[in-house]
């Protein structure tokens, strides 16, 4: 089955700096890669996703890149703010069905 | 819409007892997912249903776990008998039918997570 690895497990950045979280996947059939943000004690919520037919997608301060050849994808958050502090999960999916999640990255933005 | 509804929100039980977790998906959604979240193993997909039919239950850890979806508006996840290692937060998520986006291929719609059930087995 699919194996998704995520790094780093924890990340601290100064407010205003950028944060990058990286994930790798093993199944070349995976074609959909969502990213979720989970605040403490709350449910995961989708923040951005990318399909395998594009290499990059951007939504304001958040961007995701995908390298199908290397089987890795990354989340980039620019101009970080304290409210960006949360746990971020990447996931890989085949056709939007089974979702295999990474182990999460705890991001702390220091004011 | 109230979103995905899960009950109970918290459950504390003793080892050996039966536990039933409940989920009401968002009306009109045709896929439902059950996940388990722990510090050690992260977020794991247990089972998912399409149109009330279980499609993949390979994530269900043992025979002690079972899930049903008798209709489009209700699903249960049952653990019998429960064990301390089952302690976790259990999330249910639902998703609308995958759509088509012109020549760009199918749209894999967002999963909407419920608030979760925090289960503690003593």
């Amino acid at each position: 089955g699919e194996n998704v690895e995520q790094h780093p497990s924890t990340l601290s950045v100064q407010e205003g700096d950028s944060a990058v979280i990286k994930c790798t996947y093993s199944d070349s059939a995976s074609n959909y890669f969502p990213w979720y943000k989970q605040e403490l004690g709350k449910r995961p919520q989708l923040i951005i996703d990318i399909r395998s037919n594009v290499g990059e997608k951007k939504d304001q301060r958040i961007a995701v890149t995908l390298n199908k050849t290397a089987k890795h994808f990354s989340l980039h958050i620019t101009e970080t703010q304290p409210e960006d502090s949360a746990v971020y999960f990447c996931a890989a999916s085949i056709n939007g069905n089974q979702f295999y999640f990474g182990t999460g990255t705890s991001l702390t933005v220091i004011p | 819409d109230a979103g995905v509804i899960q009950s109970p929100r918290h459950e504390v039980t003793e080892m050996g007892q039966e536990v039933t977790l409940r989920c009401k998906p968002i009306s009109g959604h045709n896929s439902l997912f059950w996940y388990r979240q722990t510090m050690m193993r992260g977020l794991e997909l247990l089972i998912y249903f399409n149109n009330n039919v279980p499609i993949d239950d390979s994530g269900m850890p043992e025979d002690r776990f079972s899930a049903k979806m008798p209709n489009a508006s209700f699903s249960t996840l049952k653990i019998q008998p429960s064990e301390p290692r089952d302690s976790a937060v259990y999330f249910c998520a639902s998703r609308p039918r995958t759509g088509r986006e012109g020549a760009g291929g199918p749209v894999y719609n967002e999963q909407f997570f419920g608030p979760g059930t925090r289960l503690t087995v003593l």
Side-chain angles (χ1 to χ4, degrees):
Chain A
E2 175 67 278
N3 181 42
V4 177
E5 295 190 355
Q6 183 172 347
H7 300 281
S9 57
T10 60
L11 179 61
S12 292
V13 298
Q14 290 292 135
E15 182 177 359
D17 287 350
S18 295
V20 180
I21 303 170
K22 298 182 180 182
C23 288
T24 60
Y25 62 100
S26 61
D27 191 340
S28 57
S30 291
N31 58 2
Y32 175 60
F33 307 92
W35 285 88
Y36 289 83
K37 176 183 180 183
Q38 186 177 26
E39 297 177 352
L40 188 63
K42 297 191 175 180
R43 72 196 77 185
Q45 291 192 300
L46 181 74
I47 54 172
I48 194 167
D49 56 13
I50 189 168
R51 298 206 302 266
S52 58
N53 59 349
V54 297
E56 184 174 0
K57 184 176 179 181
K58 190 173 182 180
D59 182 4
Q60 299 181 348
R61 298 187 296 109
I62 296 173
V64 58
T65 59
L66 171 66
N67 183 326
K68 286 192 299 182
T69 303
K71 297 196 189 73
H72 66 71
F73 55 113
S74 300
L75 177 72
H76 305 252
I77 306 174
T78 58
E79 301 172 28
T80 53
Q81 301 167 3
E83 51 265 39
D84 295 330
S85 296
V87 179
Y88 292 81
F89 293 93
C90 63
S93 170
I94 300 174
N95 297 332
N97 292 319
Q98 297 97 320
F99 286 80
Y100 297 91
F101 283 81
T103 49
T105 296
S106 178
L107 173 65
T108 302
V109 179
I110 304 166
Chain B
D1 197 321
V4 176
I5 299 172
Q6 289 187 248
S7 65
R9 294 292 308 277
H10 302 273
E11 176 83 17
V12 180
T13 190
E14 293 188 345
M15 182 174 63
Q17 296 298 305
E18 176 180 298
V19 174
T20 299
L21 310 182
R22 297 173 176 81
C23 176
K24 177 178 168 55
I26 294 173
S27 177
H29 286 193
N30 73 320
S31 295
L32 184 142
F33 305 79
W34 281 101
Y35 292 91
R36 176 172 68 176
Q37 186 175 36
T38 62
M39 289 294 294
M40 293 298 296
R41 300 176 67 91
L43 203 57
E44 303 172 276
L45 176 65
L46 301 177
I47 185 171
Y48 84 96
F49 297 83
N50 270 355
N51 298 318
N52 313 338
V53 177
I55 302 300
D56 184 355
D57 65 355
S58 60
M60 296 285 262
E62 301 171 31
D63 291 345
R64 298 184 296 107
F65 286 69
S66 62
K68 294 182 179 179
M69 192 165 187
N71 56 62
S73 59
F74 184 65
S75 177
T76 60
L77 178 68
K78 187 175 293 187
I79 308 172
Q80 167 62 22
S82 59
E83 296 182 3
R85 60 194 168 115
D86 301 331
S87 298
V89 179
Y90 291 81
F91 287 102
C92 174
S94 71
R95 189 192 67 192
R97 186 182 308 276
T98 295
R100 185 155 297 279
E101 183 185 87
V107 173
Y108 305 125
N109 292 319
E110 174 183 354
Q111 290 183 77
F112 292 83
F113 281 79
T117 295
R118 182 173 293 279
L119 173 65
T120 302
V121 183
L122 303 174

